[in-house]
Amino acid sequence: MKEKSNIISLVNPNLVTQIGDSLGSGIPYMPLPLAYLAACLINKYNLNVIDAFGEDPFKVWQKENFIAQGITISEVVKRINPSSRCIIIYYSSVMASIIIDEMMNSLKAEYPQIPIIIIENSQAVIGCSLKHIIDKLFACGADYVVFGECEERVPNIIDIIIKSDLNKLDLIDGIAYKAQNGMLKILPQKKNIANLDRLPFPAWEYFALDKYWKLRYAHGPMEGEYLAIMTSRGCPYSCNFCVIPSTNQKKWRARSYKNVVDELEYMVNKFNVKEFHWEDVNPTVNEERIIEICKLIIDRELKIKWKLASGSKIETMRLETLEWMKKAGCNYISFSPESGSKHVLKLMNKPFDHDYALDMVRHMNRIGIKSQACFVLGYPGEEENDLKQTEIYIKKLTKAGVDEIALFIMTPIPGTETFGQISGYKNFSELTFSPAWRDDFEILSTFRMRLYKKFLLWKIIYHPFKVFRQMINLLRRRFESKAEMNIYRALRLKYMVARGTNKC
């Protein structure tokens, strides 16, 4: 076996919370794209993985109007191996922009000879399309920017860098770089990875999993030690407020049912985890695949819990599908009506069947699958009557048994159809789901808080035991819903800040 002599540094940035906004920012996602990339590089290179958040999530420091969790930028700079052939930075979320930009500047100042590669978070709604902020990235010190999936593009770029064969860069689609004449060259994204089963499983051994677990909160409701998994990529729908159509070329691709269950079994055996948070935004597009996944989980006697944490198109499932999912360990499904108004849904280009969703929620309630309904407020063109229809529909969902709601105020993420329609933010980190810079924010924020209070009241009336159970879950720190966990998250962060915050 050939000795691995080249060192590659990979950086996961800090988790960022906008001060005063525990609803729309500060939600930790495990760095799936970086773990996949590490798995693709492990056999050829020595990896130096720096998880700025995960290495010390209990350390907090302030940058302008934001709180960062994890080690400081200066500590990240010190942990870079000076012999690295390149530094790969994961652009985890648009909200982390203020930290990532400074991190790039600092790394380039300290290691001007080491190329910096920026990779996109192409599978999450908190990510952004890097081609829409390309000038800023290069101004901050990037040498290469990768659009879409990184697992094939980045190894090709590294190979070209090491061989000093820069003329071959034009053979790679979906990247941007500065040519030798100083001109910015953008090669459009032409393809996605067709066969996702070819990819190795994420290399979680490079990340401080025990510290993620000790944090006691995650993106999905955390009952115990967990791992993130992605069973599909992209989405076949084209909602105007969502970045996924841009970063995935409006295509959905899925791993085979066997490959998914192979990973579940592998992670159970390797890390002794029994809980999995599915982070694909639409894993149930192929209903037959989901049922086959469930059957194989049962056949292999995997005693696990799993949650659709990032959402699913509820109309792609039937009652029978829910039954199979429950038998196989699924105990949480997030779905997104977005609005109770058909007028707003048309503006969003969002198909949704309100009545069908009510039937599905009733059945989830009967068989013991917790449910979350997500809504977007303040979409351009939305009127007071539209908000009223959303309120009416949420009351119907509450009576049907929905366990929690999430109310996000629309923010124009780079790469969405709404990008550029609303202005007023000073930097991209302000593009949280509580955009205080919007002229109508106070109106929307007041409506949101009132609706949350009404939801709680309706829940006490229709399902009082659920409210009591959520209080017990909060005290036990074993969460069955994001709402319970988010209360804990806000209190935990407040305690960490009070204990001591450094300004950077």
Side-chain angles (χ1 to χ4, degrees), residues 71-142:
I71 61 177
T72 63
I73 291 174
S74 61
E75 289 175 304
V76 171
V77 172
K78 290 176 183 176
R79 296 188 191 192
I80 295 291
N81 189 312
S83 300
S84 298
R85 299 307 301 264
C86 66
I87 300 169
I88 300 167
I89 301 176
Y90 171 45
Y91 211 96
S92 57
S93 74
V94 68
M95 302 165 202
S97 169
I98 193 168
I99 302 299
I100 299 173
D101 293 351
E102 183 174 335
M103 190 178 289
M104 282 192 284
N105 277 314
S106 298
L107 289 170
K108 183 56 68 176
E110 185 70 20
Y111 307 106
Q113 78 285 4
I114 304 179
I116 294 177
I117 303 174
I118 308 298
I119 63 171
E120 189 171 77
N121 184 1
S122 62
Q123 303 303 320
V125 296
I126 62 166
C128 71
S129 173
L130 297 186
K131 64 186 176 185
H132 287 80
I133 60 171
I134 196 74
D135 291 335
K136 180 176 74 73
L137 296 176
F138 280 97
C140 290

Side-chain angles (χ1 to χ4, degrees), residues 36-50:
Y36 264 114
L37 182 57
C40 293
L41 300 175
I42 191 173
N43 291 328
K44 195 171 182 180
Y45 304 105
N46 285 315
L47 303 185
N48 174 37
V49 178
I50 304 162

Side-chain angles (χ1 to χ4, degrees), residues 3 13 50 67 93 158 222 229 233 235 298 302 346 362 391 421 440 476 484:
E3 184 179 353
I50 304 162
I67 297 295
S93 74
I158 294 174
M222 181 181 173
I229 185 172
R233 297 187 180 184
C235 180
I298 295 168
L302 297 179
K346 186 175 181 180
R362 291 187 190 100
E391 179 179 325
Q421 290 188 25
D440 56 357
R476 294 173 64 233
E484 307 155 10

Side-chain angles (χ1 to χ4, degrees), residues 213-283:
W213 298 335
K214 286 179 182 177
L215 195 60
R216 300 301 304 169
Y217 60 85
H219 173 223
M222 181 181 173
E223 298 179 65
E225 297 176 354
Y226 74 100
L227 282 175
I229 185 172
M230 188 166 291
T231 77
S232 65
R233 297 187 180 184
C235 180
Y237 302 98
S238 301
C239 302
N240 292 336
F241 57 85
C242 183
V243 72
I244 300 296
S246 175
T247 55
N248 289 270
Q249 301 174 304
K250 301 180 182 180
K251 294 177 181 175
W252 182 81
R253 293 149 295 131
R255 296 163 58 187
S256 69
Y257 71 90
K258 181 180 181 301
N259 185 255
V260 171
V261 180
D262 284 348
E263 180 180 343
L264 292 171
E265 186 172 31
Y266 173 81
M267 296 301 175
V268 167
N269 293 330
K270 186 176 180 66
F271 298 105
N272 195 32
V273 293
K274 300 293 191 296
E275 180 177 331
F276 293 89
H277 296 183
W278 292 33
E279 293 294 359
D280 23 348
V281 297
N282 214 337

Side-chain angles (χ1 to χ4, degrees), residues 7-22:
I7 300 169
I8 306 297
S9 289
L10 298 90
V11 181
N12 181 45
N14 306 80
L15 178 65
V16 177
T17 302
Q18 184 173 261
I19 293 175
D21 175 28
S22 59

